[in-house]
Amino acid sequence: MADKKAKNSNLTKAKNAKNDEFYTQYHDIEKEINAYLDYDANIFRGKTILLPCDDPEWSNFTKYFAQNFENFGIKKLISTSYAPDSKKYKGGYQPTLFETSDPKFDEKKTITKGKIFTLTHDKTGDGIIDIDDLEWSYLKGDGDFNSKEIIKLRDEADIIITNPPFSLFRDFFAWIVEAEKKFLIIGNINAITYRELFPFIQQNKVWLGATNFNTGMYFRVPKDFKYAKSYKFEKEQNGEKVNRVPGVCWFTNIDHGRRHQPLPLMTMNDNLRYSKHKEIKGKEYRKYDNYDAIDVPFTDSIPSDYDGVMGVPITFIDKYCPEQFEIIWRGGDIEWAENECDFFTPPNIERATEYKKQDKTWRIQNPYLLTNGKVKTVYQRILIKAKR
Ligand SMILES: C[S@@+](CC[C@H](N)C(=O)[O-])C[C@H]1O[C@@H](n2cnc3c(N)ncnc32)[C@H](O)[C@@H]1O
């Protein structure tokens, strides 16, 4: 049994390590960045941009910003990589020809040190500043984003952009907000409910990027990447091995236009009459038993004329317009419910014991509905209210 557990844990570690080596595609970066440029064409002008957790020799982030360096008016581009020896994923590392053909190449350092690529001026003298003008060297350390060396670069930067290692998302997020810089990073929609992230979303200090996450995102993956048995999406794009990851989104504190577009909604009466959802049409909006709030199971069913609190799915965040709604908190946070929420009424002990008997996973803090004494928990709800 213990062996089985250890084996499973090793498998999970190996899987997580591989998931850290997912490389972002050029067109996904371009599409997302265009939304910020549409909103403010000078967003990068005179700015120092740091791309940490990158692999500058083949990263599309480095390529994209180096190619657009002049166009965007960037002051300085810095891109850093993590030493192959320090990576959890141990796929046969081969230095690139770019590195081995450079007099600076060092057989030991290429494995044990991170690298830094910098772009500031026209090194080649061909009259343009672009990818050919990148200058590189080995870092003193391994390029860990949490090392002093990279923290110094973070503090020098105005904007930080990357797809951080999936397994370290929480740490990376804490690292980035601590610096109080503008940022744009890739993560998973489920991270919204993390204790570390949710307060920033609620306070409108962090929001989702412009690319709608519903379609999932394809990432380039290592050659030895093994697909899950259930995987039924494309495995190759533009001649490269790819894997589709559902629920991937961008988190940012840089403004873009999409988030200021209010959701087009129907009134409660119209929803009950015309909704495309059978759960709404001809039914009613039900109130939770433990919160004075109605349950809205679909974002497009939010009634435009309801003034009270509404529990909506977390995917609402993708459509969240701060001028239209205020986020009160997330359902399921016991500390908040008990200490701060003035519309939370937990059941008494007898009823709580009965509900627990009906459903072992039932908790007083999770919004739940009661039908003829039968309890049904509604997970992952964000509590919102219309702004009038
Ligand atoms: C999801 S990949 C993304 C790479 C690149 N930014 C891109 O999108 O194409 C994350 C990268 O971070 C590296 N990494 C893992 N742990 C790290 C750490 N502690 N510090 C810096 N980089 C790390 C991984 O090895 C991997 O190369």
Side-chain angles (χ1 to χ4, degrees):
M1 184 69 185
D3 268 5
K4 198 172 167 196
K5 236 183 176 175
K7 199 173 158 199
N8 278 345
S9 141
N10 283 341
L11 277 177
T12 312
K13 271 191 204 144
K15 190 168 160 258
N16 286 345
K18 273 194 186 160
N19 287 354
D20 280 353
E21 302 304 320
F22 279 23
Y23 297 96
T24 318
Q25 299 200 83
Y26 193 92
H27 61 89
D28 284 324
I29 299 169
E30 188 174 43
K31 190 160 103 194
E32 181 66 20
I33 298 293
N34 277 343
Y36 304 92
L37 291 165
D38 280 351
Y39 195 72
D40 175 3
N42 290 316
I43 186 74
F44 301 117
R45 192 158 301 280
K47 298 289 193 305
T48 295
I49 301 178
L50 172 67
L51 313 173
C53 309
D54 221 33
D55 284 279
E57 291 143 280
W58 61 81
S59 154
N60 286 315
F61 279 102
T62 305
K63 191 170 165 193
Y64 176 78
F65 282 102
Q67 275 174 347
N68 286 292
F69 189 89
E70 284 195 343
N71 191 8
F72 294 170
I74 299 170
K75 183 170 115 194
K76 184 174 180 184
L77 180 67
I78 312 168
S79 174
T80 61
S81 72
Y82 195 37
D85 238 16
S86 303
K87 291 190 184 209
K88 284 189 222 143
Y89 168 69
K90 306 288 178 206
Y93 167 73
Q94 286 292 333
T96 58
L97 188 64
F98 168 85
E99 187 184 345
T100 51
S101 60
D102 192 297
K104 275 197 295 277
F105 175 65
D106 181 313
E107 262 176 39
K108 188 155 179 255
K109 285 186 180 168
T110 188
I111 303 171
T112 56
K113 306 287 180 201
K115 290 190 209 106
I116 175 165
F117 282 61
T118 319
L119 182 57
T120 49
H121 65 284
D122 179 15
K123 182 184 79 174
T124 55
D126 63 357
I128 45 161
I129 310 176
D130 64 9
I131 200 151
D132 296 331
D133 300 304
L134 278 164
E135 294 175 279
W136 78 278
S137 64
Y138 294 108
L139 287 163
K140 288 195 192 81
D142 67 0
D144 184 344
F145 66 83
N146 238 335
S147 63
K148 277 205 188 113
E149 199 176 12
I150 308 295
I151 288 177
K152 207 163 157 230
L153 296 173
R154 175 195 73 177
D155 295 345
E156 177 193 338
D158 300 298
I159 306 178
I160 300 163
I161 302 175
T162 193
N163 171 10
F166 289 3
S167 68
L168 296 174
F169 185 83
R170 281 174 206 263
D171 299 339
F172 190 85
F173 184 77
W175 179 87
I176 214 160
V177 293
E178 181 186 277
E180 296 185 3
K181 303 283 170 150
K182 291 281 175 210
F183 67 84
L184 174 64
I185 60 172
I186 291 180
N188 192 284
I189 187 81
N190 290 325
I192 278 175
T193 56
Y194 292 177
R195 213 174 280 264
E196 296 86 348
L197 200 151
F198 184 74
F200 289 93
I201 301 262
Q202 191 258 344
Q203 288 161 34
N204 204 18
K205 289 183 180 161
V206 173
W207 44 87
L208 253 60
T211 308
N212 185 298
F213 73 90
N214 284 340
T215 50
M217 213 189 269
Y218 283 90
F219 292 94
R220 191 166 67 72
V221 289
K223 286 198 177 68
D224 62 347
F225 178 83
K226 296 234 170 7
Y227 294 96
K229 276 204 185 99
S230 54
Y231 186 82
K232 46 184 179 308
F233 303 98
E234 285 170 62
K235 294 186 174 172
E236 200 188 294
Q237 283 184 352
N238 310 316
E240 297 193 301
K241 187 166 175 175
V242 293
N243 183 56
R244 177 187 177 273
V245 187
V248 170
C249 62
W250 298 80
F251 291 104
T252 188
N253 58 2
I254 310 173
D255 223 346
H256 60 80
R258 190 168 81 87
R259 73 188 203 100
H260 296 294
Q261 290 163 14
L263 257 175
L265 297 168
M266 290 192 283
T267 61
M268 187 177 269
N269 267 338
D270 280 354
N271 267 291
L272 296 175
R273 246 187 274 168
Y274 309 118
S275 175
K276 62 178 188 209
H277 302 287
K278 61 180 185 332
E279 295 83 347
I280 303 279
K281 193 175 175 178
K283 305 269 169 55
E284 57 173 344
Y285 284 85
R286 307 211 33 212
K287 267 211 166 158
Y288 301 120
D289 190 57
N290 50 347
Y291 290 94
D292 185 10
I294 57 166
D295 186 49
V296 182
F298 311 98
T299 299
D300 60 5
S301 308
I302 297 173
S304 61
D305 55 348
Y306 189 74
D307 284 330
V309 180
M310 301 176 269
V312 294
I314 60 165
T315 47
F316 159 80
I317 293 297
D318 190 41
K319 304 279 186 316
Y320 171 48
C321 163
E323 290 80 25
Q324 189 179 23
F325 291 105
E326 110 184 62
I327 296 175
I328 299 178
W329 204 249
R330 60 188 165 90
D333 180 340
I334 183 81
E335 270 174 43
W336 172 78
E338 287 186 333
N339 303 317
E340 285 170 60
C341 180
D342 58 7
F343 56 94
F344 173 63
T345 330
N348 61 30
I349 297 233
E350 290 84 58
R351 281 168 54 210
T353 317
E354 164 58 25
Y355 300 153
K356 194 103 204 187
K357 242 192 258 166
Q358 286 182 24
D359 173 4
K360 276 200 192 87
T361 63
W362 179 88
R363 300 280 180 277
I364 52 165
Q365 71 270 27
N366 290 331
Y368 67 91
L369 300 166
L370 263 191
T371 315
N372 302 326
K374 288 266 171 289
V375 72
K376 186 174 173 274
T377 297
V378 185
Y379 291 104
Q380 304 278 40
R381 287 289 191 257
I382 290 176
L383 300 163
I384 63 162
K385 212 172 163 192
K387 275 190 177 166
R388 300 282 181 219

